[in-house]
Amino acid sequence: MKKNISLSILKLDKKEIPTFLKRYREEVQRIENLQINVEKFYNIIHFDVMDANFVPNVGVDLEYIKTAKNLGFYVDTHLMVSNPIGDKYVEKAIEYGTDDITIHYEIENFESVLSYLYEKKELLKKKYDRNLVIGVSIKPKTNIEALKKYKDKFSKLLIMSVEPGLGGQKYIEDTTQKLKQARKMYKDHIIQVDGGINFINVKEVINNGVDSIVVGSYLTDSYNIKLYKNLLKLNVLKSIEDLPKNRNIPFDTKLLQIVKGGYGEGDLLVGISVPDIRSLANKWYKYIDPDICDDFFFSKYHEYRQFACICLSNMMKNILNLKDEILKKEKSINLFSYFESNIQYINNWDLTDEIAPNVLGNFLLLQSEIEAKKILKKYINSKNIWIRRMSVVACLTYARKGYKDIPFFICKKLLYDKEVLINKAVGWVLREVYKKHPREVIEFLVSNNDEEKIPRFVISYATEKMSKEEKNKYVKR
Ligand code: DX5
Ligand code: ZN
């Protein structure tokens, strides 16, 4: 079954439900129409129906099922009611066209209600060829074993990750373990999770065999500005999580020093290879605005931040190809300030070396030399090694285009930096400049070698392309 987002409209005011559903239909259509060949979430509407008895609130009116069905949505009805049959909830939901009816295991006459629903389902199938999905929901404290003996009577298991009755609650962390267990125990059932799901924790649930994810506030709160963006983010995240997890984690953990005391300490690898992340970012970047990358930059997962860096790199390259100079200037400034607002998340050498030449380097090249030096000053003096490193690797773009002044300016400023990561980068830049300006690089090394010994990594990388005699003759050890 296609993974789906089941959008809960619980937190909406009644009167805004019809307009919201129409708007949501449009936004879902927009996502589906994106010409990017990744599997996107299928979108359905989740009706949280309450009787102020089983839970102390009233939920959504069943009436609105008709509106959702008229808009072509699949409807999933979550009955948080003590008496689904006697109080006519089942009857009405079926009459209004629901595709799925979910009752709670904890209601008094659970067994008889479940059998009634089962018969109803058979009848609808026989008489109208209508497929009604029967779901059973359990509260956080209910054990999934309790449902085992009924498993042939229902096809969906809805696991509450919050206490039923309210939207906008916090995801109960140990639900994740329960989802794993449920997946194993109910192999052929639809597993659905409901409550407190957002960008941060959705990764856990989709990686533990969940088929359907109920999302309420993450999509309905301030939906005028966030609805499309958050829906898009969830689809981008899904496409990342759909990638194979075949990265050599132990090797890359060392390479990125994601170890105690290492410069990558505390980072987390998902296990997705760089080529896979790159090819996905190369697909997605044209369909997303920079701010969609926010949550990916903020992510504790390394590959999520890498995805964001590659998207921004591609966006800047696109901007450079714009014919309209005014537009180019405006878009490059916007993208650059967005890059700077997320700079603290670019916190390992694979991230800096991806984004700095493409975003910082290309942006500086659009500025006057004075302006570029002004911008670079705060990078050079930063205590953050990654920010200093970005100022150096950004110069590779200058050097590749044959420019030498800014590269020499930066290399001079950071020539005696105590960090090897900076020394290596300075060496690379000088090596790159050497390709077009050999004499100047030799002069640079010789003239700066007097005061203090140039760090050996600078020398070894900078002189890599030099002939033996050049090395020996000019560059003192
Ligand atoms: C609780 C409801 C909520 C709702 C989801 O009874 O079932 O879980 O649908 O709401 P959010 O996503 O806001 O937690
Ligand atoms: Zn619900």
Side-chain angles (χ1 to χ4, degrees), residues 6 8 10 46-50 76-80 102 104 137 158 160 162 164-166 192-195 214-215:
S6 186
S8 158
L10 178 62
H46 182 85
F47 279 72
D48 283 312
V49 180
M50 304 170 183
D76 148 25
T77 303
H78 176 193
L79 294 179
M80 287 161 273
T102 299
H104 264 265
S137 179
L158 167 47
M160 294 303 294
V162 294
L166 255 183
Q192 186 177 43
V193 63
D194 178 352
V214 176
V215 180

Side-chain angles (χ1 to χ4, degrees), residues 379-396:
Y379 285 75
I380 298 166
N381 302 323
S382 168
K383 293 216 174 352
N384 177 324
I385 182 174
W386 304 120
I387 293 178
R388 292 205 309 281
R389 178 153 168 138
M390 280 197 266
S391 69
V392 182
V393 291
C395 295
L396 290 168

